[in-house]
Amino acid sequence: MNTLMRWIGIAVVIFIAAPLVIVVPMSFSTAASLQFPPPGYSWGYYQQFFSDPSWLRPAWNSIYIATMNTLLTMALVVPATFALVRHKFWGKSFANLMMMMPMAVPHIVMAVGYYSYFGELKLVHSKLGVILAHSCLSVPITFLVLSANLKGFDLTLERAARSLGATPGQVFRHITLPILKPGLAISALFAFIQSFDETVVAIFISGRDAETLPRKMFDSIREEADPVIAVISTLLFAVVFAGLIAPSLIKGLRRMAGGTPSK
Amino acid sequence: MSAYLRLAGVNKTFGNFTALGHIDLEVEKGEFVTFLGPSGSGKTTTLMVIAGFEKATRGEITVADQSLAHLAPQERNIGIVFQNYALFPHKTAAENVYFPLQMRKVGKKEGMKKAAEMLDLVGLKGFAHRLPKELSGGQQQRVALARALVFEPDLLLLDEPLGALDKNLREQMQIEIKRIQKRLGVTTIFVTHDQTEAMSMSDRIVVFSNGAIEQAAAPLDIYHRPATRFVADFIGESNLLEATITDAATGKAHSPVLGEVTCGAEGLPPLTDGQAVSLLIRPEHLKLSREPKEGRQNAQMVIETIVNYGDNAVVIGHAGDQQIRVRVPGADVVILKEGDSCHFSWTADAVFVLDK
C-alpha cells in the first residue's frame, strides 16, 4: 500500500512537472521555432524578449492590469467577505451565489458579454475595460480564500481586545487585520495571478492598446511558434517559484540570525 | 458596607427563550465569587452581560454605584480571562500584556515595564518574548491572567479558564489564581461547572440553574445547607430520599425506604405534619455494618457496585428501588462484596430536610 502510494505520488509529480521540464530547455534553444529537444543552447531568445518592444509592452500592460485588478478586487471583496461571513441579512445566500458566479460561467461567455456591453460604454480596447472584466473574474477565488480565512478567525480574540479597552476600529487595526494578513496576501496573490493568466477575455477586449502578455503569446503561437514564449513561461515559472520559496527562505534566514527564539 | 457589584433584576431573553429569569446579586469589593451550574444554566450569559457583550433585556448592573448600562465593553474596565485564553497569536507574551495599556495610551517603555512586572507576578519571568504558540497551556493561561489584570480592572471575570488543563496543572492554577487575586484584592467572578474548583477557590458560590440563582452562599453552607433539591443534588454526592413529615415538632418523618427517621434540628425549615419533603444524607455520613448499629438509625441495602478510589471507596447499593451511596474508608472496603446484604446507619444530625 505504502509503496503503491509512493509510486502514484511520483507519477503525479512527473505529470505536473513535465511541461516545465520541456519548456525550460526550449527557452534556451537556438531553433527558429519551438522544438524539443533543442538542437543547441543560447541566451538569444532572452535577449530578444528584453529588447523587443512588441514583447515588453504587453508585459508591462499585464503587470499594470494585474496590479490594478488586485487593488480593485481586494477593495470589493474584503468588505463583502466580512459582511457575508460575519453578518446575517436578507438575501445573503443569493449574494453568496453571485460572488461565485463568475467561476461557474465559462470565460468565453463572459468575454462575449463584456465585448458587447463594454462596446456601448466605449471600454473595449482599453486597459480600464480589461481591469474591470478581470476584477469580476477574480472575485470568486479571492472570496473563497478570504472567507475560509475569516471563518477560521476566532471571534473571542476581538471580544478579548474589546474587554481590554480597544474600540472596534482599534480592534480591526491591531488584532483582526494583522492576524488576517497572510490570508489577505494570498487572496491578493490569487487575484494578481488570475488576471496575469487570463487569456480569453483579454483576447476579446484588450485590443492593441491594452494587449496583455497571454494574448500576445496566443497570437504569437498561432502565427509563428516563436520560442520567446518559452522564455516568458520560464520567467513566469521562476517568479512564481521565487514567490513560493521566498517566505520560507526569509524565515530560515531570520532563524539563523536568531531573531525569533525557538522553543 | 454596600455592595460593589450589584445586579438588580437582570433578565435576558433571546426571542422566546429566557436565558436569564431575574438575577439579583450583590458582590462585595475584593470578594471571590464563583458562578457554578450545568451548561446552559445562565452563568456564562450573566458574565457576558456584566462584560457588556450581551445586553440585558431588563434590569440594571452597577459597579461602585455607577450604572454600566451605557458603557461599551471597552469602557467598562473589566478584565476577562476567556476559556480558550484568547491570546493574540501575532503578539508576544509581553506585547499581549502591554495591549490594554497601549489602548490606555500608556507609553511603550513604561507599559512594557509594567507588563514585565505583571508577567513576573504570574510566574512567567523570562517568557516575555515568546509567542503564544511557543507556550504551554498553563503558561498561556498565566499570560491571559496577567493581561486581564495589568490595567487594574474594577472587576476580573474568569470564564471556565481551567477547563482545558489537565488535573495536576488545574490544581496548581487554582492555587495560583487564588494567590494572585488575594494579593491584588481584585473583585473576581469565576465561572465553572466544576464543583471542586468552586469549593476550593471561592469566598462565595452562586449556584445557577435554568437561568435563575438557586442559592448564593459560602462553600460549606452550600454543601451542608443546600437551599434546594437541585443544589443538594448538584453539589457533592448525595442520597436524596422521599419522605413525609409525621411529627413536625420533633422532626420525625416517614420514608418508604428508611422507615421512621429523626431529622437533624439544625437548618430545619418550618414544617407541617403530612408535608412531603426530600431528605438529604451525604454518602460520607452513612456507615455500613453487618448488623444494625446501636445508637444509630439503621436500614438495609444490597451492595451492587463498589467504586475504589484508593484512600476511600463509594459503595453503591439498593434499598428497595432507591439507590444508596455510602463513602467508606479504603481499608474497610476489603470485607465488602458485591451482592452482599448489609445495614447502613446514620445519626439524626446527618439528615437534612429539603422542600420537595
Side-chain angles (χ1 to χ4, degrees):
Chain A
M1 183 63 190
N2 231 334
T3 352
L4 179 67
M5 294 300 275
R6 187 172 303 154
W7 281 112
I8 291 175
I10 290 169
V12 168
V13 170
I14 290 171
F15 179 69
I16 291 172
L20 294 172
V21 172
I22 292 174
V23 161
V24 175
M26 281 201 300
S27 72
F28 295 100
S29 173
T30 50
S33 70
L34 289 173
Q35 187 184 331
F36 189 83
Y41 294 94
S42 81
W43 287 95
Y45 287 108
Y46 282 85
Q47 279 163 1
Q48 191 183 330
F49 173 72
F50 284 108
S51 57
D52 184 351
S54 78
W55 280 111
L56 284 178
R57 205 169 40 85
W60 283 119
N61 279 349
S62 268
I63 291 170
Y64 174 78
I65 287 169
T67 307
M68 288 302 157
N69 162 72
T70 306
L71 293 176
L72 181 59
T73 306
M74 293 307 278
L76 293 171
V77 168
V78 173
T81 310
F82 269 86
L84 284 166
V85 172
R86 292 214 175 158
H87 299 282
K88 281 187 188 148
F89 52 88
W90 188 86
K92 178 173 163 170
S93 50
F94 180 72
N96 248 319
L97 187 70
M98 290 313 288
M99 294 291 280
M100 301 309 297
M101 226 29 187
M103 200 176 239
V105 178
H107 280 195
I108 186 77
V109 176
M110 302 282 284
V112 172
Y114 285 124
Y115 190 74
S116 48
Y117 182 58
F118 280 4
E120 279 173 40
L121 297 171
K122 307 243 180 300
L123 285 171
V124 173
H125 298 184
S126 74
K127 285 177 191 151
L128 180 62
V130 182
I131 292 166
L132 290 175
H134 276 183
S135 296
C136 178
L137 297 175
S138 300
V139 162
I141 183 70
T142 31
F143 172 63
L144 269 184
V145 172
L146 206 54
S147 63
N149 262 271
L150 199 55
K151 276 176 194 155
F153 184 91
D154 180 7
L155 277 175
T156 341
L157 294 175
E158 293 190 354
R159 282 196 160 183
R162 288 291 295 280
S163 77
L164 296 169
T167 63
Q170 287 172 319
V171 172
F172 188 75
R173 204 166 67 243
H174 291 282
I175 307 301
T176 316
L177 206 54
I179 293 174
L180 287 178
K181 214 156 59 181
L184 286 166
I186 288 174
S187 56
L189 184 68
F190 272 119
F192 189 92
I193 291 172
Q194 203 283 329
S195 166
F196 207 89
D197 258 5
E198 205 289 328
T199 318
V200 180
V201 171
I203 286 171
F204 269 74
I205 64 171
S206 69
R208 288 226 25 103
D209 291 340
E211 188 183 36
T212 65
L213 204 50
R215 183 200 157 111
K216 169 72 183 167
M217 288 165 81
F218 181 76
D219 288 345
S220 157
I221 231 172
R222 224 175 27 171
E223 288 155 16
E224 50 198 341
D226 191 341
V228 169
I229 62 172
V231 170
I232 296 166
S233 307
T234 306
L235 287 173
L236 287 180
F237 170 66
V239 168
V240 171
F241 191 71
L244 286 178
I245 62 162
S248 41
L249 203 69
I250 291 169
K251 224 185 248 172
L253 284 175
R254 250 192 220 155
R255 192 161 299 149
M256 270 197 285
T260 36
S262 60
K263 215 175 180 181
Chain B
M1 187 167 157
S2 80
Y4 184 65
L5 166 69
R6 180 182 282 121
L7 279 72
V10 172
N11 163 278
K12 175 74 190 170
T13 53
F14 298 99
N16 285 331
F17 174 71
T18 305
L20 295 177
H22 185 95
I23 302 292
D24 286 315
L25 182 69
E26 299 195 339
V27 176
E28 302 292 340
K29 194 165 174 64
E31 203 177 3
F32 192 113
V33 172
T34 297
F35 287 2
L36 178 65
S39 42
S41 59
K43 54 193 196 305
T44 296
T45 306
T46 307
L47 203 72
M48 289 300 131
V49 170
I50 297 172
F53 294 124
E54 299 284 358
K55 226 176 158 57
T57 311
R58 280 196 305 278
E60 201 191 22
I61 302 172
T62 57
V63 172
D65 293 324
Q66 299 290 308
S67 171
L68 295 183
H70 300 293
L71 296 180
Q74 69 269 23
E75 297 163 336
R76 294 193 176 197
N77 204 38
I78 293 176
I80 307 178
V81 176
F82 290 88
Q83 195 165 6
N84 62 354
Y85 320 135
L87 296 180
F88 307 133
H90 60 301
K91 289 175 179 288
T92 63
E95 284 166 352
N96 263 281
V97 180
Y98 170 55
F99 184 76
L101 301 174
Q102 187 185 0
M103 293 300 109
R104 283 165 178 77
K105 311 257 183 297
V106 178
K108 179 128 194 171
K109 202 173 160 204
E110 190 194 338
M112 285 305 260
K113 192 171 153 251
K114 257 186 127 175
E117 285 167 12
M118 204 65 210
L119 284 172
D120 243 18
L121 180 71
V122 298
L124 278 183
K125 199 173 186 150
F127 292 88
H129 299 295
R130 297 252 183 119
L131 285 173
K133 64 169 185 224
E134 295 164 340
L135 296 168
S136 71
Q139 290 167 336
Q140 290 183 25
Q141 169 80 77
R142 287 163 193 262
V143 176
L145 192 61
R147 188 179 67 175
L149 287 170
V150 73
F151 57 99
E152 290 162 25
D154 297 330
L155 280 177
L156 174 65
L157 309 181
L158 302 131
D159 185 13
E160 309 215 14
L162 307 179
L165 304 178
D166 62 44
K167 191 169 166 289
N168 284 338
L169 198 55
R170 186 190 277 233
E171 278 169 12
Q172 202 183 323
M173 280 310 293
Q174 286 175 16
I175 297 165
E176 197 63 11
I177 289 175
K178 192 67 198 169
R179 174 182 74 84
I180 293 163
Q181 188 265 340
K182 257 194 183 151
R183 164 123 182 233
L184 300 176
V186 60
T187 311
T188 302
I189 293 177
F190 184 95
V191 166
T192 183
H193 59 260
D194 183 319
Q195 44 159 309
T196 52
E197 222 165 82
M199 282 284 164
S200 67
M201 297 176 77
S202 326
D203 295 325
R204 207 146 53 98
I205 296 176
V206 180
V207 182
F208 278 79
S209 164
N210 291 324
I213 293 178
E214 292 273 327
Q215 188 175 8
L220 289 180
D221 281 342
I222 294 260
Y223 188 78
H224 292 296
R225 284 179 284 281
T228 63
R229 220 190 125 102
F230 175 84
V231 176
D233 202 25
F234 190 70
I235 309 289
E237 284 186 298
S238 51
N239 295 298
L240 280 164
L241 303 114
E242 310 287 307
T244 312
I245 298 295
T246 51
D247 186 356
T250 56
K252 290 252 189 311
H254 178 79
S255 149
V257 178
L258 304 179
E260 204 63 34
V261 180
T262 309
C263 308
E266 198 200 358
L268 274 187
L271 300 169
T272 52
D273 289 357
Q275 187 185 346
V277 293
S278 295
L279 304 179
L280 165 68
I281 308 177
R282 295 289 183 192
E284 66 272 24
H285 292 147
L286 289 174
K287 277 186 178 162
L288 289 181
S289 53
R290 296 276 174 208
E291 301 301 324
K293 275 213 167 172
E294 200 80 18
R296 294 171 68 89
Q297 303 177 54
N298 289 272
Q300 261 193 309
M301 72 171 205
V302 177
I303 296 172
E304 202 169 71
T305 318
I306 300 171
V307 186
N308 270 307
Y309 295 105
D311 57 340
N312 68 74
V314 172
V315 178
I316 302 167
H318 271 90
D321 52 7
Q322 169 78 41
Q323 195 187 61
I324 301 287
R325 298 172 150 261
V326 184
R327 193 172 284 273
V328 299
D332 290 10
V333 88
V334 290
I335 58 165
L336 299 169
K337 274 206 312 289
E338 289 169 8
D340 279 2
S341 179
C342 65
H343 285 84
F344 61 100
S345 63
W346 64 94
T347 57
D349 54 6
V351 184
F352 188 81
V353 182
L354 286 161
D355 272 335
K356 191 168 160 59

